[in-house]
Amino acid sequence: MYRVSFVIPYENNEKLERYASLMSSLGYTGIELGIKDPSLLDPEEIKDVISKFNLVVPALGTGRAFTEDGISLSSKEKSIRDNAVKRLMSHIELAEKLSSMVIVGLIRGNVYDKEGINYVKALLKDICQYGKGKGVRILLEPINRYEVNWLNTIEDAYNFIREIDVENLGLLIDTFHMNIEEPSLASSIFRFKDLVLHIHIADSNRFYPGAGHIDFKDIFRILSSIGYDGFISAELINKPDIETAITKTIRFLKSIILL
Ligand code: LER
Ligand code: MN
């Protein structure tokens, strides 16, 4: 039995309620939120909507801080790095209230030299310590080379986590990125299983599962063999529209696994 969630970029409570209602009626148990700046939101209002539909928020996405506000942990400018830390701390504060994990994906930024890598290493360690004090786990996500220029493979992210050496930092693996970067999706999951805390699914074209050529049956076989008990969270290009993507995803999953 897997718990399934769907990633939505949070815009307002009205839309959140609409998507939460649809997801809950279809059998989702989680809704993952991509939030640009949590300090601008009322956590209690979000909590109310989520619990009304018996959903939980397995993870909070932070990438919009990079794509929309241009802030990153690797920036050469100290004020931008400080902003990235501040932003991630506010994600952690919201995550504490929602019992979520916090994703560090694009917000790490691109690196061009050793200095950039060292900034991220030191700041991520601080962020993890802050999360630890609040009982929040942090997820480092390997992302494909066309979106960010380092930590593209699971192996690279795994080794980086080992170097940082804090207990509340794990891996978020994403089938879309894996399809570009990994030699074999199933073997990579198996090799790095001890740090896998969360999974994003999308098909090879980033549309809903079943729309491309990723072998999801093979992925679920390996997840079952390693005893993965986290969420399966769909993060998609929502075409032709989000309602269709939400519906087709869970229909496909129900056709290949027990939900
Ligand atoms: C974030 O989870 C991700 O996978 C990136 O591709 C940014 O969208
Ligand atoms: Mn992802």
Side-chain angles (χ1 to χ4, degrees):
M1 291 280 276
Y2 290 97
R3 293 173 294 165
V4 184
S5 82
F6 195 97
V7 179
I8 64 154
Y10 175 84
E11 289 173 61
N12 55 53
N13 287 339
E14 199 186 309
K15 280 197 177 170
L16 179 65
E17 177 142 3
R18 181 145 35 95
Y19 302 142
S21 163
L22 174 64
M23 282 179 212
S24 173
S25 72
L26 292 170
Y28 285 87
T29 50
I31 183 165
E32 189 176 317
L33 304 175
I35 297 183
K36 191 168 87 152
D37 186 351
S39 68
L40 306 174
L41 306 177
D42 179 353
E44 293 310 314
E45 279 184 22
I46 295 182
K47 235 174 141 172
D48 284 350
V49 179
I50 303 299
S51 47
K52 184 169 156 193
F53 296 100
N54 285 318
L55 296 171
V56 298
V57 180
L60 296 179
T62 60
R64 292 171 64 190
F66 178 72
T67 54
E68 294 175 35
D69 289 343
I71 62 176
S72 75
L73 293 170
S74 60
S75 174
K76 295 244 174 249
E77 279 181 51
K78 184 170 181 315
S79 62
I80 296 181
R81 295 195 302 276
D82 289 348
N83 257 333
V85 171
K86 212 172 120 203
R87 188 69 66 89
L88 282 166
M89 284 164 74
S90 74
H91 279 96
I92 288 170
E93 286 153 19
L94 178 61
E96 180 188 23
K97 298 199 171 89
L98 298 173
S99 303
S100 313
M101 298 182 281
V102 170
I103 300 168
V104 173
L106 292 175
I107 199 169
R108 62 178 166 275
N110 290 306
V111 297
Y112 303 98
D113 49 30
K114 188 88 186 124
E115 192 183 40
I117 295 174
N118 288 339
Y119 286 148
V120 180
K121 206 177 279 177
L123 296 177
L124 193 49
K125 195 163 186 149
D126 292 348
I127 286 155
C128 289
Q129 295 299 351
Y130 188 71
K132 195 173 162 196
K134 301 199 170 295
V136 173
R137 287 180 295 176
I138 312 298
L139 300 165
L140 183 62
E141 181 179 29
I143 289 180
N144 80 76
R145 68 190 73 179
Y146 305 108
E147 293 183 53
V148 73
N149 74 353
W150 68 309
L151 303 180
N152 307 117
T153 64
I154 301 181
E155 181 170 20
D156 286 351
Y158 183 97
N159 291 336
F160 196 67
I161 292 173
R162 288 292 181 222
E163 279 176 45
I164 292 178
D165 192 27
V166 286
E167 67 204 38
N168 60 329
L169 179 61
L171 281 168
L172 155 57
I173 58 173
D174 180 321
T175 59
F176 174 73
H177 304 307
M178 291 165 76
N179 182 59
I180 296 170
E181 299 291 349
E182 303 300 321
S184 149
L185 280 69
S187 313
S188 295
I189 295 173
F190 191 76
R191 244 182 105 194
F192 303 108
K193 60 182 185 300
D194 54 313
L195 285 182
V196 174
L197 300 181
H198 192 50
I199 297 181
H200 279 165
I201 56 164
D203 219 319
S204 48
N205 42 20
R206 214 165 195 172
F207 298 144
Y208 52 82
H213 57 73
I214 288 182
D215 185 348
F216 284 100
K217 280 192 183 157
D218 195 36
I219 290 176
F220 282 104
R221 252 193 306 275
I222 208 81
L223 289 178
S224 152
S225 83
I226 66 169
Y228 176 76
D229 63 357
F231 267 88
I232 306 295
S233 200
E235 183 191 45
L236 313 174
I237 295 174
N238 294 316
K239 281 198 175 158
D241 53 69
I242 189 165
E243 288 83 1
T244 307
I246 290 170
T247 308
K248 294 242 189 193
T249 294
I250 197 142
R251 264 198 214 143
F252 176 82
L253 292 175
K254 281 180 175 167
S255 77
I256 62 162
I257 49 167
L258 209 56
L259 290 181

